[in-house]
Amino acid sequence: MINGELFRTVSAAAAATAAAPVSRNTLLSLISESCTLPHLTQTHAQLILNGFQFDLSTLTKLTQKLFDLRATRHALSLFFSIPKPDIFLFNVIIRGFSFHPPSSLSLFTHLRTNTNLNPDNFTYAFAINAASRFCNEKYGMLLHAHAVLDGLASNPFVGSALVDLYCKFSRVVYARKVFDKMSERDTVLWNTMITGLVRNCCYESSVEVFRDMVAGGVRLDSTTVATVLPAVAEMQELGVGMGIQCLALKLGFHFDAYVLTGLISLYSKCGDVDTARSLFRMIKKPDLVSYNAMISGFTCNGDIGSSVRLFRELLVHGERISSSTMVGLIPVSSPFGHLHLACCIQGFCVRSGTIASSSVSTALVTVYSRLNEIDLARQLFNESPEKSVAAWNAMISGYTQNGLTETAISLFQEMTATDFTPNPVTITTILSACAQLGTLSFGKSVHQLIKSKNLERNIYVSSALIDMYAKCGNILEAWQLFDSMSEKNTVTWNTMIFGYGLHGYGHEALKLFNEMLLLGFHPSSVTFLSVLYACSHAGLVREGDEIFHDMVNKYGIEPLTEHYACMVDILGRSGQLEKALEFIRRMPSEPSPAVWGTLLGACMTHKDTNIARIASERLFELDPGSVGYRVLLSNIYSVERNFPKAASIREGVKKRNLAKTPGCTLIEVNGAPHVFVSGDRSHSHATAIYEKLENLTSKMREIGYHSETVTALHDVEEEEKELMVNVHSEKLAIAFGLITSEPGSEIRIIKNLRVCLDCHTATKYISKITERVIVVRDANRFHHFKDGICSCGDYW
């Protein structure tokens, strides 16, 4: 508190005699002890009375104190009343206005243009710090250029400010260049580089920088250790984290509260919640940050009970609850079964006021979305007073995850119409929605947005772009993007390999897989799934068998259900049904419905009712509610012309009230989606569509086309069967595409189910008659029809 007696003594002494002036040291003490603006203005008056109104050191101290008391207007008035401020005073005022960047940079400009003073390293560091608060990096880059011209860019203090600036704008490459060019690096600069990399999710790079720091003999402090631990935690590299923990013990930082808190997060995210709990107990007086870390640790490990108990302990102790506390309590990673808890947490947040925090509402939106309570999520999103980019991302992602891709795209368009700028997470999410829906035109517009925001270098954005183009049918564009990337990770390779498999380019996928291994990338479980999928769609039986063997024996990866299903598909498609059945029987775990379903699909292709009976019996036991497998078995009997058996199965479907997913096909024309179902006459162009289809069918018959009606209902006449298959949704979509597109242009359609044999045959004929390339994406893969031939080689 301010020493009131000292003020009164000084004031009395000054009034009594002008011969006894107050000393500078006394005035400096008064400035330091002032804690209100009135006291400080009294001190300023004494300063003037005692002849120190132009004393720079005293005025500089007064200016600093004015900023401490947030009296910025007074500070600015005082500054402009000083005839010849020195560089130190300029630094104080530039730093003081860092929270208001335009004022700070105006003062920097005033220094350069209206004085003979030269900015020093502190001037640049403070100005760059202010520039980092703008909405883009251009002001900071201009300051960087000036610092280079003034020979100060290599100063560690300036370098730290520049690294921090570029990292705040996600310009990690620029930040790293500044860092690498610094001839002298102090601990603060190293810490800033590590912090910036962690902030931009460059976890591996941050650990590499930390290792370089240790290897270079640079002095570490507790901040260094506390800064790098979150990166190790996100990577879930417990071994690396334990090594850092040993280093912290050796250097005497281990029991620092911030280091212990970082270790709690590390062990929690690596699944060792018991060690995390022990570390928490080592903190003599845990602060709120430590409590938050432990609460979050329990939650992310599914120990919701312990998380809630620790939260109650906080409340009992009367501790202040922060938004981070609530985010840690919300079961984002394990929401299933905790809808009631999420609703209770929301109620507490409303009462405590923490619901106003964007991070809290975003976490709740994420939980509701994952619980398929999308209406609750949207209501909370709409009611949020402040929507951050993360909040928009959570809601867009929620719609995408729940299959509401059109709504996701609509919300993304709403976001771009606001002041919010999509970040890499937003872009990857919306590209996923485009890939699901197959909206190539919208995906291309997102690509243009990526280019305008200079996000192409982000490896996750580029990988999502490759995935979008591959799943929207443009595999050439996907490859060109992949080939142009200077930096690739395992996810990028997996995406391209899967894309090739989706289009039936098995040999290209294998070549890429082998190239990936040669370059030293470690294949993941997803890598092997992608390459096995590619083998199954290209008939590469021997290659698939070798890859599966290497996955298990060379790389020690335990196969998932999806890997087993791929192997059954590889064997089944090639006609080796007995071998596929034996493979299933040798599986170390109980085969899933997906595995038996894959075998049943192969039985349909090769018309094997004996093995089909075995597969269907197991399927009906494991998944009695599935109608798809029953329809497939019925079709197998129809192909064998065992119509009584086929009818019996279909009758069973009716008695169980099972509903088959209706087939539908989407085509995009001039950026607008059009969806057709079988026999659809609701479209505005229905008359023209059916006329076109009738004309096509006539021409197809002239060159040898016959309708494949074997799987149509057996209890109707053959002529009626032909009518049924002739109006399937994909044929209607193709006919619409032909009458609305330019001659010679490519037609792309998306079918939600596997394309039927008749439509596959008909599309080959249509491509020949119309001289068009027709690209069909069905539930399994892509088919590229050209000149009467399909890229799948009738192997799908």
Side-chain angles (χ1 to χ4, degrees):
M1 292 295 291
I2 186 69
N3 190 336
E5 186 62 34
L6 180 58
F7 265 115
R8 287 190 290 274
T9 302
V10 172
S11 298
T17 174
V22 180
S23 69
R24 176 193 282 114
N25 288 340
T26 303
L27 289 168
L28 290 173
S29 297
L30 284 172
I31 292 169
S32 296
E33 294 177 18
S34 296
C35 57
T36 66
L37 183 58
H39 284 157
L40 205 55
T41 53
Q42 289 179 45
T43 305
H44 189 189
Q46 291 296 333
L47 188 148
I48 294 169
L49 286 171
N50 287 276
F52 290 101
Q53 65 269 34
F54 299 119
D55 185 80
L56 278 176
S57 60
T58 310
L59 291 173
T60 300
K61 184 72 173 179
L62 180 62
T63 305
Q64 284 178 317
K65 195 65 179 182
L66 284 166
F67 278 119
D68 291 342
L69 298 178
R70 300 187 181 279
T72 53
R73 184 169 56 84
H74 293 78
L76 194 61
S77 297
L78 175 61
F79 173 77
F80 281 113
S81 71
I82 301 168
K84 290 186 178 181
D86 61 4
I87 192 63
F88 191 81
L89 182 55
F90 260 105
N91 290 347
V92 167
I93 195 126
I94 289 170
R95 184 185 190 185
F97 274 103
S98 61
F99 70 92
H100 188 255
S103 297
S104 184
L105 295 194
S106 292
L107 288 161
F108 176 84
T109 304
H110 176 69
L111 164 67
R112 289 187 63 89
T113 57
N114 298 326
T115 74
N116 294 322
L117 299 171
N118 293 317
D120 62 12
N121 56 334
F122 295 104
T123 319
Y124 274 109
F126 298 149
I128 291 166
N129 181 51
S132 69
R133 298 173 187 267
F134 278 102
C135 61
N136 62 55
E137 69 272 33
K138 66 179 182 181
Y139 298 102
M141 295 179 81
L142 285 170
L143 287 167
H144 187 182
H146 281 298
V148 172
L149 291 172
D150 287 345
L152 292 169
S154 60
N155 179 275
F157 198 54
V158 177
S160 294
L162 286 168
V163 168
D164 182 64
L165 167 90
Y166 287 124
C167 286
K168 281 180 178 175
F169 289 108
S170 297
R171 297 288 196 174
V172 176
V173 174
Y174 291 174
R176 192 61 193 263
K177 283 181 178 179
V178 170
F179 178 80
D180 289 340
K181 286 183 178 180
M182 299 294 291
S183 56
E184 181 186 347
R185 300 177 193 152
D186 59 11
T187 303
V188 174
L189 178 58
W190 283 91
N191 290 352
T192 304
M193 188 69 251
I194 294 169
T195 302
L197 289 168
V198 173
R199 188 189 300 146
N200 284 278
C201 303
C202 301
Y203 304 123
E204 292 182 12
S205 298
S206 66
V207 173
E208 286 174 10
V209 172
F210 175 78
R211 284 175 174 152
D212 291 342
M213 186 179 182
V214 174
V218 182
R219 184 183 65 83
L220 277 67
D221 57 19
S222 59
T223 302
T224 316
V225 177
T227 297
V228 76
L229 281 172
V232 183
E234 290 296 332
M235 292 164 64
Q236 297 185 1
E237 290 283 358
L238 185 56
V240 176
M242 291 173 76
I244 294 172
Q245 184 180 10
C246 291
L247 186 62
L249 273 167
K250 182 180 177 181
L251 296 173
F253 303 142
H254 183 271
F255 297 101
D256 180 277
Y258 292 108
V259 172
L260 282 172
T261 300
L263 288 168
I264 289 167
S265 295
L266 166 72
Y267 280 99
S268 296
K269 289 188 177 179
C270 291
D272 189 353
V273 74
D274 291 331
T275 301
R277 193 198 315 256
S278 299
L279 289 164
F280 179 73
R281 289 170 181 159
M282 289 182 186
I283 305 175
K284 293 179 181 178
K285 291 184 178 180
D287 60 6
L288 186 60
V289 176
S290 302
Y291 265 102
N292 292 350
M294 194 67 250
I295 289 170
S296 178
F298 283 131
T299 303
C300 73
N301 282 281
D303 191 353
I304 307 300
S306 295
S307 179
V308 172
R309 281 192 292 273
L310 194 59
F311 175 72
R312 285 175 179 161
E313 184 182 309
L314 260 181
L315 296 178
V316 169
H317 291 165
E319 292 285 345
R320 179 179 59 85
I321 303 300
S322 71
S323 57
S324 296
T325 317
M326 303 316 301
V327 171
L329 185 65
I330 297 167
V332 175
S333 57
S334 53
F336 303 105
H338 297 298
L339 177 60
H340 178 68
L341 174 63
C343 292
C344 289
I345 292 172
Q346 183 180 351
F348 181 90
C349 292
V350 170
R351 290 193 299 275
S352 64
T354 51
I355 195 69
S357 166
S358 180
S359 60
V360 172
S361 58
T362 299
L364 284 168
V365 165
T366 303
V367 166
Y368 288 139
S369 297
R370 289 180 179 176
L371 290 170
N372 202 23
E373 296 288 343
I374 202 71
D375 291 335
L376 278 176
R378 184 57 189 263
Q379 182 183 349
L380 183 56
F381 174 79
N382 289 341
E383 292 172 354
S384 299
E386 291 186 16
K387 295 181 180 70
S388 63
V389 174
W392 286 92
N393 291 350
M395 196 65 248
I396 293 168
S397 178
Y399 280 128
T400 304
Q401 290 165 5
N402 284 278
L404 302 169
T405 47
E406 290 183 59
T407 313
I409 290 171
S410 176
L411 189 62
F412 174 78
Q413 290 171 320
E414 186 180 327
M415 177 189 182
T416 54
T418 67
D419 293 332
F420 289 96
T421 301
N423 66 9
V425 175
T426 326
I427 297 298
T428 53
T429 303
I430 205 62
L431 284 172
S432 174
C434 293
Q436 283 184 39
L437 198 58
T439 52
L440 182 61
S441 60
F442 188 75
K444 286 180 176 179
S445 71
V446 175
H447 192 176
Q448 290 302 314
L449 178 65
I450 290 166
K451 289 178 178 177
S452 69
K453 300 295 181 185
N454 295 315
L455 291 172
E456 280 186 303
R457 292 185 179 180
N458 183 291
I459 197 166
Y460 297 102
V461 170
S462 296
S463 298
L465 263 177
I466 292 167
D467 185 60
M468 183 276 293
Y469 276 114
K471 288 179 179 175
C472 287
N474 197 334
I475 193 66
L476 179 60
E477 183 70 28
W479 163 252
Q480 288 173 344
L481 274 168
F482 176 85
D483 194 42
S484 66
M485 288 176 67
S486 56
E487 181 187 357
K488 300 180 181 77
N489 61 11
T490 303
V491 173
T492 318
W493 288 90
N494 293 351
T495 303
M496 193 63 233
I497 291 169
F498 178 80
Y500 271 141
L502 193 63
H503 288 264
Y505 299 143
H507 291 286
E508 287 82 353
L510 273 178
K511 182 182 176 182
L512 208 60
F513 173 67
N514 290 325
E515 186 180 337
M516 174 185 176
L517 298 181
L518 284 172
L519 290 172
F521 287 91
H522 192 79
S524 65
S525 175
V526 176
T527 313
F528 283 105
L529 185 61
S530 299
V531 75
L532 286 172
Y533 177 85
C535 289
S536 73
H537 284 277
L540 303 175
V541 180
R542 179 181 56 80
E543 293 86 347
D545 187 60
E546 289 174 358
I547 288 164
F548 186 85
H549 183 271
D550 284 349
M551 177 182 76
V552 176
N553 299 295
K554 185 176 179 180
Y555 293 95
I557 295 174
E558 187 175 344
L560 302 174
T561 291
E562 293 82 359
H563 295 103
Y564 286 117
C566 267
M567 279 306 299
V568 172
D569 198 37
I570 288 171
L571 295 169
R573 284 177 188 275
S574 66
Q576 301 180 49
L577 298 177
E578 290 285 353
K579 195 171 180 179
L581 180 61
E582 183 61 29
F583 178 85
I584 293 173
R585 286 171 171 164
R586 290 201 315 267
M587 283 175 58
S589 57
E590 179 66 26
S592 69
V595 173
W596 287 111
T598 302
L599 181 61
L600 186 62
C603 291
M604 171 66 186
T605 302
H606 297 284
K607 304 175 179 60
D608 191 319
T609 51
N610 293 325
I611 294 179
R613 194 177 299 109
I614 296 170
S616 61
E617 284 174 0
R618 294 297 297 128
L619 275 169
F620 299 160
E621 287 175 17
L622 295 168
D623 193 4
S626 174
V627 65
Y629 297 134
R630 295 176 188 274
V631 171
L632 184 57
L633 183 61
S634 172
N635 288 341
I636 291 171
Y637 282 120
S638 293
V639 170
E640 289 272 301
R641 302 205 173 270
N642 190 342
F643 296 123
K645 204 62 166 156
S648 172
I649 292 168
R650 289 182 183 269
E651 188 62 32
V653 170
K654 290 179 183 178
K655 285 181 180 179
R656 287 170 170 266
N657 292 319
L658 300 176
K660 180 179 179 289
T661 303
C664 62
T665 302
L666 177 144
I667 183 170
E668 211 179 1
V669 175
N670 298 324
H674 298 260
V675 179
F676 294 88
V677 295
S678 183
D680 197 344
R681 290 187 178 272
S682 63
H683 198 275
S684 58
H685 289 69
T687 303
I689 290 169
Y690 277 85
E691 285 179 0
K692 183 67 174 178
L693 198 53
E694 187 176 344
N695 179 262
L696 283 171
T697 304
S698 176
K699 289 181 179 179
M700 286 155 54
R701 286 197 178 118
E702 288 176 7
I703 57 174
Y705 165 73
H706 297 285
S707 299
E708 300 282 355
T709 60
V710 71
T711 59
L713 296 177
H714 72 278
D715 53 352
V716 296
E717 295 298 325
E718 190 66 25
E719 185 178 344
E720 191 174 344
K721 288 183 183 181
E722 288 195 15
L723 289 173
M724 290 166 63
V725 297
N726 284 346
V727 292
H728 278 186
S729 61
E730 46 265 67
K731 290 179 182 175
L732 297 175
I734 291 170
F736 177 64
L738 288 169
I739 63 176
T740 54
S741 61
E742 293 293 325
S745 62
E746 189 173 273
I747 293 174
R748 298 170 186 268
I749 66 170
I750 298 173
K751 176 77 182 286
N752 67 326
L753 304 176
R754 182 180 183 271
V755 65
C756 77
L757 176 61
D758 180 69
C759 286
H760 190 270
T761 302
T763 309
K764 288 195 290 185
Y765 278 98
I766 293 171
S767 71
K768 185 176 183 64
I769 292 167
T770 61
E771 297 181 348
R772 297 280 197 109
V773 173
I774 303 173
V775 180
V776 179
R777 178 178 126 187
D778 71 2
N780 288 348
R781 57 169 294 161
F782 271 94
H783 302 261
H784 296 257
F785 297 90
K786 184 179 180 181
D787 297 328
I789 299 171
C790 180
S791 61
C792 75
D794 298 337
Y795 190 90
W796 85 99

